[in-house]
Amino acid sequence: MTDTSPSSQTGAGFDWTSDAYRERLRKRRRSELLLRMAGLVSISLAIGFLMLMLGSLATTGYKAFTQTHVTIDVRLDPALVDAEDVAGSNWRRVMQAAVAEMFPGLEDRALRDVRAILSDGATFMVRDRVVADPTLIGSVLTIRVPVSDPFDQLNKGTVDRNTPEANRRVSDAQIAAFDQLVAAGRISTPFNWALFTSADSRFPELAGLKGAFVGTGYLLLVCFAIALPVGIGAAIYLEEFAPKNRISDLIEVNINNLAAVPSVVFGLLALAVFLNWFGLMRGSPLVGGLTLALMSLPTIIIATRASLKAVPPSIREAALGIGASRQQVVFHHVLPLAMPGIMTGTIIAMAQAIGETAPLLLIGMNAFITAAPSTPFESATTLPTQIFIWADSPERGFVSRTSAAILVLLTILVMMNALAIWLRRRFERRW
Amino acid sequence: MKSFQITASVLALAAIAPMAEARDQIRIVGSSTVFPYTQAVAEEFANQGGAAPVVESTGTGGGMQIFCAGVGADHPDITGASRAMKKSEYELCVQNGVTDITEAMIGYDGLAIAISRANETDWDLTLEQVYKALAAKVPVDGQLVDNPYKKWSDIDAALPDTPILAYGPPPTSGTRDAFVELAMHVGCAATDYAKALKEANADDYKKFVEEDCSRMRQDGPFVEAGENDNLIVQRLEADPNAVGIFGYSFLYENLDKLKDVKINGVEANIDTIASFEYPISRPLFIYVKNAHRGVIPGLNEFLATYASEDALGKGGYLEERGLVVLSDEALAAVQDALTKGVNMAAPQK
């Protein structure tokens, strides 16, 4: 070890105390400091942008995770509810009577204004409850139903009570009636389960992601079922069997290029081939899954080849040495060892597919449907296209629901990536 | 390899899926302006027990392309339009065997020019001023020149001394077509230059209206904001001097943040749009493929729901959504056409 005190450093043929040396040292230290600072600034910028995005999503989106409800008493008068044809009874009249009972002394016009506090879906909720249990007829049903979007916004403070009456969606009389309900303890703000259990609706208070969840699920199933076997097959052939020549080089270059093709191109391809030529159902998860399978194939092939390559040649040679055929080598030894890497690559490809929007818009997966699809052959939406539809809706409630849906999508993506990391940590073998 | 068995069976399932199967859902495409209204009817129909229809917003022109592509379960049953079907589109339909079409005008839509409530001026423009602010070429001293106006006060000293900045729909949008036709063309025709040209040479005048009056300026003050009208609303909030152009329903939903710019002294509201007192209003249509009636289950019932008084009538749920409803006689005619499936005549232009 060199003694660092300046007095003893003059002997080694180098002047450690000279001004020129100190100047150089200062310069080197300064440039290192600059590099560090630049790195720090870049990282904090990146984190800052991420925080900004998450922060703006969270501040607008958190409101959508609760929904204002009102508890109402509905008198199921046998004169109004026909026991023979429960579903076909005049449920609007039943609801009108229920509201009139809650606000006695109001006349027609004012009553209609107050009725607007209840969501349009309330009528159908009461109907469905009675259809499921006709013995309720004749009793008083106490049921908690959502309030309509303007009042949900009022309760959450998005609508300012101080704006002049003409400029807001809710009138002074309606606010008074709403406050009366608050005072009576009928208003509650529970967790918004409808966001996860209902399909799309034109009323924000009733709209949910169920259709998008089911659509995305079917789409991933189709995508996975097609892309995984084809991708693994292609990778095995290229890695284990294909002779190394110009043609296989060309294929390799093309696969790498295919991974960089913009997704909208796949959408146009799907529009021309799957819809116009094969005549598959427009907007169905089947078509969406086929399209995204084309898109994820290169990713899966590249990931699979990399993990096949990582299996040491000694394993192949040992297996061949004791008389295994090449097919046995691949399926008994190489593929099982490469599986964790393949699954990681596949999950990352699926996570990409979940967030894909552009090709799905071209094949009509952005339709408005109030029911979740029951098979992959029916039209459906996916999470990103549902976000697209909500972002374009005029009602105020969809602003927060759009952000909430994005948060849900991001959560799913983070979970899938975490699964990929966990799989890799758990099963990966280093040689 | 269990996963291989699963994938194999799913593959087999995909292979035997019937190619052009019959469907039990109604399919609707078309204008983004008609979309919210059709959405409302579709939801009502589903709530009454029908199979939930599939409603897709493709724009008027895109909807016509898909609608006219043929007859059969692969093709949609209904398309919405924020303008009447063009002659060329009708010919495309006929060429592909779609000959029996019912045309139904469902109501009117106003185009609002809106500005943030933070802007304190009480705005009132004439269409001529709108044209001068937003057109690519305008007449100045008898010459057609590139639009020189940068501020509203350049057009008329009485207008505010703020830069012209308008967010509007892109050319693919039916809203843009309607705005050009209803606002720009009218404003253009009101200029002295156009009047003089009309007297001098009718052909030149026609060409002038079709070309020069239809082009929006590209030098900055007019910004194409994409099909997302919520985006325009957000930009207007951020910049109190900017105006936005969109369907009346977006203004209606955001009246606490935005106010409308009066046109010729007339405010945009449901009454003035229905009476055509407000000059920028247009009819909305749906087109029905009559060959699908009785073939696609529920189509007739859906159309009956659409035509019902609860939907299209005064106080109906479409009016609540911002549709400006038809007069009683016009409504009766539309209900008749929709329920009986009256075929439309070929459009003239």
Side-chain angles (χ1 to χ4, degrees):
Chain A
M1 276 302 285
T2 325
D3 190 344
T4 45
S5 68
S7 57
S8 64
Q9 281 182 352
T10 45
F14 187 86
D15 184 6
W16 293 100
T17 56
S18 76
D19 285 348
Y21 164 72
R22 289 193 171 177
E23 179 61 22
R24 280 202 307 275
L25 187 65
R26 225 191 61 226
K27 261 191 176 167
R28 281 164 57 196
R29 286 194 173 147
R30 202 180 58 198
S31 67
E32 187 168 326
L33 186 75
L34 276 178
L35 179 68
R36 269 199 189 182
M37 294 311 277
L40 254 174
V41 168
S42 321
I43 283 232
S44 22
L45 264 180
I47 291 181
F49 281 129
L50 187 70
M51 286 298 145
L52 193 69
M53 187 189 82
L54 287 178
S56 82
L57 282 175
T59 44
T60 49
Y62 81 95
K63 285 180 178 151
F65 288 105
T66 57
Q67 164 68 38
T68 313
H69 280 64
V70 56
T71 310
I72 53 170
D73 302 318
V74 186
R75 186 177 301 283
L76 299 168
D77 188 348
L80 287 174
V81 184
D82 184 357
E84 299 289 304
D85 178 16
V86 179
S89 308
N90 193 341
W91 287 102
R92 284 182 198 275
R93 287 264 313 275
V94 176
M95 294 303 280
Q96 259 161 10
V99 175
E101 215 168 308
M102 267 195 293
F103 295 93
L106 286 182
E107 344 137 25
D108 275 3
R109 175 96 202 178
L111 206 58
R112 225 185 90 183
D113 284 352
V114 173
R115 224 184 84 78
I117 294 179
L118 298 188
S119 162
D120 203 71
T123 314
F124 303 108
M125 288 178 188
V126 173
R127 180 195 69 184
D128 293 344
R129 176 73 75 84
V130 182
V131 168
D133 183 8
T135 55
L136 287 169
I137 297 172
S139 64
V140 174
L141 172 67
T142 303
I143 184 172
R144 195 167 70 173
V145 295
V147 304
S148 64
D149 185 50
F151 295 92
D152 187 37
Q153 303 299 328
L154 178 76
N155 191 38
K156 288 172 179 167
T158 327
V159 170
D160 186 1
R161 288 166 185 246
N162 296 326
T163 31
E165 187 177 5
N167 301 341
R168 45 179 149 78
R169 288 289 310 277
V170 287
S171 68
D172 286 344
Q174 285 175 319
I175 292 185
F178 186 77
D179 289 342
Q180 210 175 317
L181 289 173
V182 175
R186 286 179 177 274
I187 301 293
S188 54
T189 313
F191 186 76
N192 185 9
W193 287 110
L195 187 64
F196 300 96
T197 57
S198 321
D200 199 7
S201 166
R202 80 193 145 107
F203 300 104
E205 70 271 15
L206 303 175
L209 294 168
K210 185 182 164 198
F213 281 137
V214 178
T216 300
Y218 280 138
L219 180 136
L220 279 189
L221 189 74
V222 173
C223 180
F224 184 82
I226 305 228
L228 189 72
V230 175
I232 292 184
I236 288 177
Y237 179 77
L238 284 175
E239 199 55 43
E240 304 286 332
F241 296 100
K244 296 274 172 270
N245 57 23
R246 283 193 153 190
I247 297 176
S248 59
D249 281 351
L250 191 72
I251 291 175
E252 183 160 354
V253 169
N254 272 310
I255 287 172
N256 289 334
N257 280 339
L258 209 58
V261 170
S263 57
V264 69
V265 177
F266 288 101
L268 286 169
L269 179 81
L271 183 65
V273 177
F274 299 139
L275 293 184
N276 294 346
W277 195 23
F278 289 177
L280 296 177
M281 176 66 91
R282 191 177 159 80
S284 62
L286 174 68
V287 176
L290 285 169
T291 314
L292 295 185
L294 289 182
M295 256 191 63
S296 14
L297 260 183
T299 317
I300 295 182
I301 294 179
I302 292 168
T304 308
R305 291 191 65 182
S307 32
L308 289 176
K309 218 176 258 171
V311 176
S314 55
I315 291 192
R316 293 185 182 81
E317 283 154 12
L320 287 171
I322 56 168
S325 73
R326 288 181 73 185
Q327 183 250 328
Q328 285 172 323
V329 171
V330 169
F331 284 105
H332 294 178
H333 301 281
V334 180
L335 202 56
L337 287 171
M339 222 44 190
I342 297 175
M343 289 327 287
T344 308
T346 309
I347 290 172
I348 287 171
M350 292 295 123
Q352 269 176 0
I354 274 199
E356 199 50 70
T357 325
L360 303 184
L361 296 181
L362 284 168
I363 56 167
M365 289 202 78
N366 57 335
F368 169 81
I369 313 164
T370 55
S374 45
T375 68
F377 311 112
E378 279 171 31
S379 289
T381 57
T382 64
L383 279 168
T385 52
Q386 191 63 59
I387 291 168
F388 185 84
I389 300 172
W390 283 359
D392 210 11
S393 305
E395 286 81 5
R396 194 62 64 75
F398 279 121
V399 176
S400 59
R401 272 170 178 75
T402 306
S403 300
I406 295 173
L407 288 175
V408 170
L409 177 62
L410 286 180
T411 311
I412 294 177
L413 287 178
V414 168
M415 274 159 48
M416 286 183 76
N417 285 328
L419 181 70
I421 292 172
W422 180 79
L423 271 178
R424 198 167 59 209
R425 287 266 170 83
R426 178 80 178 70
F427 294 107
E428 192 180 46
R429 291 177 70 168
R430 295 200 178 278
W431 310 93
Chain B
M1 296 255 99
K2 203 152 196 180
S3 65
F4 277 98
Q5 282 168 6
I6 295 171
T7 48
S9 51
V10 173
L11 270 178
L13 199 70
I16 57 163
M19 279 305 174
E21 61 194 314
R23 61 184 153 85
D24 49 11
Q25 290 167 309
I26 298 161
R27 297 194 67 96
I28 306 158
V29 294
S31 160
S32 54
T33 315
V34 183
F35 178 69
Y37 308 123
T38 308
Q39 236 184 341
V41 179
E43 188 161 1
E44 185 72 21
F45 179 69
N47 275 332
Q48 287 169 8
V54 178
V55 192
E56 198 183 327
S57 161
T58 59
T60 303
M64 291 287 180
Q65 290 288 329
I66 309 173
F67 178 78
C68 288
V71 175
D74 288 348
H75 305 286
D77 314 309
I78 300 172
T79 183
S82 53
R83 53 165 171 75
M85 186 184 261
K86 290 179 185 165
K87 193 180 173 200
S88 58
E89 289 163 345
Y90 186 79
E91 279 163 1
L92 176 71
C93 264
V94 171
Q95 202 185 323
N96 290 324
V98 187
T99 45
D100 298 345
I101 305 167
T102 296
E103 178 183 66
M105 190 202 283
I106 57 165
Y108 308 97
D109 175 48
L111 284 179
I113 303 183
I115 194 160
S116 164
R117 287 209 176 263
N119 187 298
E120 278 158 16
T121 317
D122 186 18
W123 284 80
D124 184 355
L125 298 173
T126 64
L127 286 180
E128 187 178 343
Q129 286 166 340
V130 172
Y131 161 72
K132 281 183 174 171
L134 302 178
K137 280 184 189 290
V138 292
V140 176
D141 302 329
Q143 288 294 318
L144 205 58
V145 296
D146 286 340
N147 196 331
Y149 304 118
K150 296 285 175 207
K151 290 180 168 183
W152 290 103
S153 54
D154 296 343
I155 299 172
D156 187 327
L159 292 173
D161 183 27
T162 51
I164 301 171
L165 180 57
Y167 293 102
T172 46
S173 153
T175 313
R176 169 73 165 266
D177 293 346
F179 183 76
V180 165
E181 194 176 321
L182 298 168
M184 301 295 281
H185 284 183
V186 176
C188 179
T191 57
D192 293 335
Y193 178 84
K195 284 177 192 155
L197 192 66
K198 193 175 184 180
E199 304 243 316
N201 186 330
D203 281 348
D204 277 0
Y205 173 71
K206 209 176 149 201
K207 197 166 157 245
F208 165 72
V209 170
E210 266 168 27
E211 287 177 10
D212 293 308
C213 297
S214 306
R215 289 224 321 276
M216 308 297 281
R217 62 195 297 182
Q218 303 285 336
D219 56 341
F222 179 74
V223 182
E224 283 169 6
E227 296 267 13
N228 188 332
D229 293 338
N230 272 339
L231 213 65
I232 305 186
V233 173
Q234 285 173 17
R235 298 228 185 128
L236 296 190
E237 272 181 83
D239 181 357
N241 285 325
V243 299
I245 299 160
F246 37 65
Y248 175 71
S249 59
F250 276 84
L251 175 63
Y252 178 73
E253 288 285 343
N254 291 288
L255 272 175
D256 56 336
K257 294 176 185 165
L258 305 179
K259 60 182 180 181
D260 73 318
V261 170
K262 288 186 195 132
I263 304 292
N264 301 337
V266 182
E267 196 179 300
N269 60 40
I270 300 226
D271 298 331
T272 55
I273 292 169
S275 64
F276 284 110
E277 221 180 308
Y278 183 74
I280 332 178
S281 59
R282 56 175 166 170
L284 301 178
F285 299 89
I286 58 169
Y287 291 88
V288 184
K289 212 175 272 176
N290 286 331
H292 286 190
R293 285 176 193 261
V295 180
I296 303 295
L299 181 56
N300 281 323
E301 291 78 2
F302 176 77
L303 290 170
T305 312
Y306 216 133
S308 68
E309 203 75 33
D310 282 348
L312 286 182
K314 285 204 173 59
Y317 53 85
L318 295 187
E319 187 174 21
E320 272 171 28
R321 260 217 135 176
L323 180 75
V324 178
V325 296
L326 300 166
S327 66
D328 289 343
E329 307 89 74
L331 178 61
V334 167
Q335 286 171 329
D336 201 48
L338 275 180
T339 43
K340 289 187 185 148
V342 180
N343 289 339
M344 69 186 281
Q348 294 306 305
K349 57 175 187 172

